[in-house]
Amino acid sequence: TSHACWVTIYSDNASRAADNSRGETEDPAPDAGVIAEVITSSGQLKVAIAPGVIGYNLESTPTTTIPVKVRNKNSSAAAITVALEILQLEA
């Protein structure tokens, strides 16, 4: 990430919308559609997720779009960039 933030990756847009009001100290429900999430700080902007996570798109018509929520944790407004390293296993 380019700045301190809370990043959550979802299986579909409906899961992202349903999870929007969850606080950062609350765990998501087991069926919330959360694939992975990280919270970065100004001292640690890069996080290695290990072991690796297998994600998927559960839209009724699957797309290559990844539903993501990004919340700024910086003390001031910032344009945040998030980079994901992805290995596509199927077409």
Side-chain angles (χ1 to χ4, degrees):
T1 62
S2 60
H3 296 83
C5 61
W6 173 24
V7 179
T8 310
I9 301 170
Y10 297 93
S11 58
D12 55 45
N13 286 313
S15 295
R16 180 179 58 190
D19 190 57
N20 193 45
S21 62
R22 178 175 58 91
E24 98 180 35
T25 59
E26 296 175 64
D27 287 335
D31 61 349
V34 173
I35 293 173
E37 70 181 347
V38 297
I39 297 175
T40 64
S41 65
S42 59
Q44 184 177 8
L45 296 175
K46 184 175 182 178
V47 176
I49 299 175
V53 176
I54 294 179
Y56 43 86
N57 185 289
L58 283 179
E59 298 293 350
S60 57
T61 302
T63 69
T64 56
T65 302
I66 301 171
V68 177
K69 174 181 70 182
V70 179
R71 295 255 169 93
N72 186 358
K73 302 268 306 155
N74 204 12
S75 58
S76 58
I80 297 173
T81 301
V82 176
L84 301 174
E85 293 183 24
I86 299 170
L87 172 62
Q88 185 172 334
L89 300 178
E90 293 184 16

